[in-house]
Amino acid sequence: MALSVETEPPVVVVMGVSGVGKTTVARLLADRLGLPGAEADDFHPPENIAKMSAGVPLGDRDREPWLHALGRWLGDRATAGTGGVVTCSALKRQYRDTLRAHCPDAFFLHLSGGHELVQDRLAHRVGHFMPTSLLDSQYALLEPLQPDERGAVLDVGPTPAILVESAAALLGHVNGDLA
């Protein structure tokens, strides 16, 4: 079901556990919709990256400043009327609530996939600080979108191009224009 037609470009959070394809889908979606994009990993302080690189899961206190920085980015895009697409695991409802505190109209696109598929993707990913060993902790934290949350779930089985077209349809965009 497409969203209602809006006068402002959408502000989208591409969410899910590590390895579902958030970065790929977010980049393609931002390009498809002509929106600015950002990668959540770029907002992590060095201490968080060091912890994750060492295989230590982040706690809520570690995530709080990171989530507020992402929320400010979203809010700035909404205020400017540019829209935007950002990646963020946004695994817990409270994390999404933090983002929404800065940008109430954020749309959460949850990329969801089976554990074996995602683990295989992580095992073959090169140049990322998130080790496969932390995948179980991410699935343990994951709280699905609730009916009162603005968003949708897409299974990551199809190609990224198909996922992007599905997302654009959900957002009410066809050929880069509002439907």
Side-chain angles (χ1 to χ4, degrees):
M1 173 181 227
L3 297 175
S4 61
V5 174
E6 300 177 16
T7 58
E8 298 294 328
V11 181
V12 181
V13 178
V14 180
M15 63 168 281
V17 299
S18 188
V20 292
K22 293 184 298 288
T23 298
T24 299
V25 170
R27 283 183 187 151
L28 292 171
L29 183 61
D31 288 347
R32 167 73 169 77
L33 301 178
L35 302 175
E39 169 60 50
D41 289 343
D42 294 340
F43 291 76
H44 273 298
E47 302 81 34
N48 286 6
I49 293 172
K51 272 185 146 180
M52 290 184 285
S53 296
V56 178
L58 298 180
D60 288 348
R61 283 192 180 143
D62 298 316
R63 289 184 179 95
E64 191 171 331
W66 171 69
L67 290 165
H68 282 290
L70 287 168
R72 285 189 296 275
W73 187 91
L74 290 164
D76 289 348
R77 303 292 87 62
T79 300
T82 64
V85 179
V86 68
T87 62
C88 179
S89 53
L91 299 175
K92 287 184 176 183
R93 169 72 186 246
Q94 76 182 58
Y95 303 162
R96 298 187 297 270
D97 288 345
T98 298
L99 297 174
R100 271 191 294 273
H102 295 276
C103 185
D105 292 330
F107 182 88
F108 290 84
L109 182 64
H110 178 189
L111 301 182
S112 179
H115 191 280
E116 287 183 25
L117 170 67
V118 175
Q119 188 169 10
D120 183 63
R121 287 181 178 185
L122 279 176
H124 292 94
R125 186 161 69 174
V126 177
H128 194 274
F129 57 81
M130 177 74 172
T132 306
S133 62
L134 292 182
L135 182 60
D136 289 339
S137 70
Q138 289 211 328
Y139 274 109
L141 285 176
L142 180 61
E143 296 173 0
L145 290 173
Q146 297 302 302
D148 66 327
E149 293 186 271
R150 190 167 184 256
V153 179
L154 292 179
D155 182 275
V156 296
T159 66
I162 291 172
L163 291 172
V164 166
E165 289 309 311
S166 296
L170 285 166
L171 293 163
H173 286 66
V174 178
N175 297 326
D177 297 320
L178 287 174

